[in-house]
Amino acid sequence: MNSFFSTKPVLKFGILSGLLLVLNEVIINTVTQTNPYIGERDSVFSLIGLIIPVIVIVFAINFLKKNSNIESFGQIVKPGLIIGLITALVYIAYTLLFIYSIEPDTLNQFDEINRQRLIANGQVKNSKDIADAVQLSRNAFLPGTILFSIAVNLFIGFITAVVTAIFVRNK
C-alpha cells in the first residue's frame, strides 16, 4: 500500500487516464500538424484514444482488488465509472484550453469547413441560410463535444469495469 496510488486511487487513475488522452491529442497535433478537433483523424490515434482508458481502468480495478476489500460486482464497477468520468473531465478541460487558448482559431476554422460543405453539397442556396446553418453548427460544437466525451468515457468505463469484474471476481 506504500505507492503513489494508495490514497484516493480512483481519482489518481482517472487523472492519469485523462492526461494520457491529452498526451494522445498533443501527439496528434504535433505529428499531423492539423487541428485534432477539425481535421480527419487517423484511425491509429483514434484507437489509441479508446484503448488508453480501458488499460487504465483494468489496472485500477486490479490494484483496488489487491489493496482493498472490494468484493461485490457493484464495488468493482463503480471505480470504472468514476475513472471514466474523471477521464472525460480532464479531456474536456484540455479541449476547452485548446480551443480557446492554444488554437483560438478553431471555431473559425470549424465555421469555414461547414460553410464549404454546405456550398459544395448544394443543400443551402442563399447566404443567410448558410450563415444560420453555420451558426447552428457552431452552437452545437462544444456542447456536442463535451457530451460525447462524457458519454464515450462513461460507456468505456462501464463496459471495461463489467468485463474486468467478471474476471476479477472469479479469481
Side-chain angles (χ1 to χ4, degrees):
M1 286 283 280
N2 193 13
S3 77
F4 174 74
F5 292 105
S6 62
T7 59
K8 300 182 182 167
V10 173
L11 178 65
K12 290 178 181 179
F13 277 110
I15 292 171
L16 174 66
S17 178
L19 291 175
L20 289 172
L21 278 182
V22 168
L23 179 63
N24 186 47
E25 292 294 316
V26 170
I27 291 170
I28 291 171
N29 192 1
T30 304
V31 170
T32 63
Q33 292 297 311
T34 61
N35 187 327
Y37 299 99
I38 303 294
E40 297 292 322
R41 286 184 178 239
D42 188 346
S43 62
V44 172
F45 290 117
S46 296
L47 184 62
I48 290 170
L50 292 174
I51 291 174
I52 288 170
V54 170
I55 292 170
V56 172
I57 290 168
V58 168
F59 279 120
I61 291 172
N62 283 322
F63 176 85
L64 291 170
K65 180 71 171 150
K66 289 177 186 172
N67 296 305
S68 64
N69 58 353
I70 59 172
E71 295 296 327
S72 74
F73 189 76
Q75 288 176 325
I76 296 172
V77 171
K78 184 178 173 184
L81 289 171
I82 294 171
I83 291 169
L85 180 62
I86 294 169
T87 300
L89 294 176
V90 170
Y91 181 75
I92 290 166
Y94 171 74
T95 299
L96 295 173
L97 178 70
F98 184 88
I99 290 172
Y100 290 114
S101 294
I102 297 170
E103 190 70 40
D105 199 38
T106 298
L107 292 175
N108 292 333
Q109 292 173 5
F110 181 74
D111 290 348
E112 188 55 36
I113 288 171
N114 283 330
R115 185 176 288 106
Q116 290 173 3
R117 286 181 186 158
L118 288 168
I119 293 169
N121 291 340
Q123 295 173 341
V124 183
K125 300 291 185 211
N126 70 40
S127 61
K128 183 182 180 335
D129 290 342
I130 290 174
D132 290 345
V134 167
Q135 186 62 40
L136 184 64
S137 296
R138 182 180 218 177
N139 291 344
F141 178 70
L142 279 176
T145 302
I146 290 168
L147 290 175
F148 183 75
S149 178
I150 291 171
V152 165
N153 283 294
L154 283 176
F155 180 74
I156 289 171
F158 177 74
I159 296 299
T160 304
V162 166
V163 170
T164 306
I166 291 169
F167 289 108
V168 169
R169 282 193 64 205
N170 291 333
K171 287 185 178 179

